[in-house]
Amino acid sequence: MKYKSSRRLSQFDNTLFLTTLLAGIVGIVAVFSATRSMNTNSNVIMQAASFLIGAVLMFLLSRINYQAFGYTAVPIYIVCIFLLIAVLIFGTTGSWGARSWIRFGPVGIQPSELCKIGFAVTFAKHLSRVKEDINKPATLAFLILHLAVLVGLIMFEPDAGSAMVFCFMAIAMLFVAGLSFKYIISTFLLFLAASPLIYFFLLSDYQRRRIQVFFNPELDKLGSGYNVIQSKIAVGSGKLFGKGFLKGTQNQLGFLPTKHTDFIFSVISEEFGFLGAVLVVLLLFFIIARCIKIAQNSGDLFGKYICVGIASMLIFHTFENVGMCIGLMPVTGIPLPFISYGGTSLITNMIAVGIVLSVSSHSKKSGL
């Protein structure tokens, strides 16, 4: 027993654990700056509390053998469905018209965030069971159904941003599992052909407006385009070294909207400049690279697919958030991992890393 414990301890990825904590601390500092002009510390206190809860859960999950999640994959999937149905019934509607939150007094949870972890686990288990038959039409149909049930419920909120995260995770996991390129290319072509139908019949008015503004922010520079225009001003004005902590004019004077959530990267870019922004991106990509490395060294398919799913989730969030802050991606409300304000998002991301750490600690194959 002592040998097994010491072996697990030696495989524990201290680098990933500490880097994740560092990212969370950077997030608290950024939220402090972004909310300084609001004359309240409630957001910072909530973010710090979520960070502490997430850190404890991350460590505890790293000590649990990840195989236990595979044994409970069906109950986890059922809970995900229940949460997504519950938010449609009991959820509160946000400023963008999406019913995405369930609130208990001052505390709210976003089920779609938690379900990303549930999907990574359950889809990984599903894939590990059908790996040899993944390119059979019947097998692939059930895998698509696995995804479609969750994405369909999320689109009813509607939350197209989160739905895209789930789809990206599924594509990455299927690709790593050996899905034939004929399916990937066919799906891509089908998506292109269906894009007009999706745009006109599935997207809500505000979602279509976001796409229009993405191509031309000046179309509604005092409305839907205002966020992107102010964000680009903030990012550009930071130049190389930034204006200094708590000295960003777009941030502190209130020109930058939703600055502690969607546009937290713009706050960092304005106050710490290009160099600060690059360091934050490199920090996040180091975490992602470590997740991929652990996937490569995993001793079984289940652990490998979980790590790929979580890495792809973090990749999509990072690319989308940074992209929308600099005008290269449409605004979707996707938070920057570990950095943006939001207890559910932060705790979810730290839980995700805790599961990856579990794969690192308990996988049969080492070499990290």
Side-chain angles (χ1 to χ4, degrees):
M1 290 297 292
K2 288 184 178 180
Y3 169 75
K4 289 183 179 179
S5 297
S6 62
R7 182 174 177 272
R8 286 196 202 101
L9 187 62
S10 66
Q11 288 182 286
F12 182 80
D13 196 324
N14 292 296
T15 303
L16 176 59
F17 182 77
L18 294 175
T19 306
T20 302
L21 293 180
L22 176 59
I25 293 170
V26 170
I28 294 172
V29 173
V31 170
F32 175 79
S33 176
T35 58
R36 190 64 175 168
S37 61
M38 299 179 185
N39 297 318
T40 176
N41 291 321
S42 59
N43 297 108
V44 179
I45 293 171
M46 185 65 72
Q47 189 77 352
S50 300
F51 171 75
L52 293 175
I53 293 171
V56 171
L57 291 175
M58 179 171 63
F59 179 77
L60 291 177
L61 286 169
S62 72
R63 313 309 296 167
I64 299 173
N65 192 323
Y66 65 97
Q67 294 291 350
F69 302 117
Y71 301 141
T72 57
V74 173
I76 290 173
Y77 189 71
I78 293 172
V79 169
C80 288
I81 293 175
F82 172 78
L83 287 173
L84 293 176
I85 292 175
V87 77
L88 294 176
I89 299 173
F90 305 107
T92 58
T93 303
S95 58
W96 291 104
R99 189 182 291 268
S100 304
W101 293 83
I102 298 177
R103 296 202 172 274
F104 305 92
V107 179
I109 63 169
Q110 191 173 6
S112 60
E113 288 293 320
L114 297 173
C115 290
K116 290 171 188 175
I117 305 302
F119 177 71
V121 170
T122 59
F123 202 67
K125 189 62 178 180
H126 193 161
L127 278 174
S128 66
R129 287 174 175 168
V130 301
K131 171 65 170 68
E132 300 302 322
D133 301 319
I134 188 174
N135 287 303
K136 292 182 177 180
T139 301
L140 190 56
F142 278 107
L143 286 166
I144 293 174
L145 180 63
H146 187 143
L147 168 69
V149 170
L150 301 181
V151 170
L153 289 171
I154 290 170
M155 286 303 295
F156 273 116
E157 295 181 10
D159 185 356
S162 292
M164 287 190 291
V165 177
F166 279 80
C167 292
F168 185 80
M169 291 170 66
I171 292 170
M173 295 168 78
L174 286 167
F175 176 78
V176 171
L179 181 66
S180 172
F181 273 102
K182 68 179 181 181
Y183 290 118
I184 297 174
I185 295 173
S186 298
T187 302
F188 178 71
L189 293 176
L190 180 63
F191 175 77
L192 287 181
S195 293
L197 296 176
I198 294 172
Y199 179 82
F200 287 107
F201 298 105
L202 291 183
L203 297 183
S204 62
D205 290 339
Y206 88 87
Q207 289 169 337
R208 287 196 292 270
R209 191 64 173 172
R210 281 184 172 186
I211 294 175
Q212 295 166 5
V213 169
F214 163 64
F215 288 106
N216 182 17
E218 298 294 329
L219 186 66
D220 188 12
K221 58 184 179 181
L222 295 179
S224 302
Y226 180 81
N227 293 12
V228 176
I229 292 172
Q230 295 301 320
S231 175
K232 291 166 72 174
I233 292 173
V235 172
S237 64
K239 298 183 180 179
L240 184 61
F241 297 106
K243 296 178 178 178
F245 184 53
L246 302 179
K247 296 180 180 179
T249 52
Q250 295 297 114
N251 171 23
Q252 301 301 333
L253 296 180
F255 292 107
L256 185 63
T258 58
K259 53 188 178 177
H260 59 306
T261 54
D262 295 358
F263 293 98
I264 194 75
F265 183 75
S266 305
V267 172
I268 294 170
S269 298
E270 182 181 31
E271 298 194 346
F272 297 98
F274 177 77
L275 291 180
V278 168
L279 287 175
V280 169
V281 171
L282 289 177
L283 177 64
L284 294 177
F285 273 99
F286 181 85
I287 293 172
I288 293 167
R290 202 63 194 168
C291 291
I292 295 173
K293 182 68 174 178
I294 292 172
Q296 292 174 332
N297 286 277
S298 175
D300 73 309
L301 294 177
F302 178 49
K304 176 180 181 180
Y305 297 151
I306 287 178
C307 294
V308 169
I310 289 170
S312 60
M313 176 187 75
L314 296 175
I315 288 171
F316 189 93
H317 273 246
T318 302
F319 267 108
E320 169 58 24
N321 185 274
V322 172
M324 72 183 191
C325 286
I326 60 178
L328 295 180
M329 297 292 284
V331 177
T332 58
I334 295 293
L336 189 62
F338 309 105
I339 310 295
S340 290
Y341 171 77
T344 306
S345 174
L346 179 57
I347 292 173
T348 296
N349 289 327
M350 298 185 83
I351 286 174
V353 173
I355 296 174
V356 173
L357 287 168
S358 174
V359 176
S360 171
S361 298
H362 297 89
S363 179
K364 295 178 182 178
K365 181 179 178 182
S366 59
L368 293 172

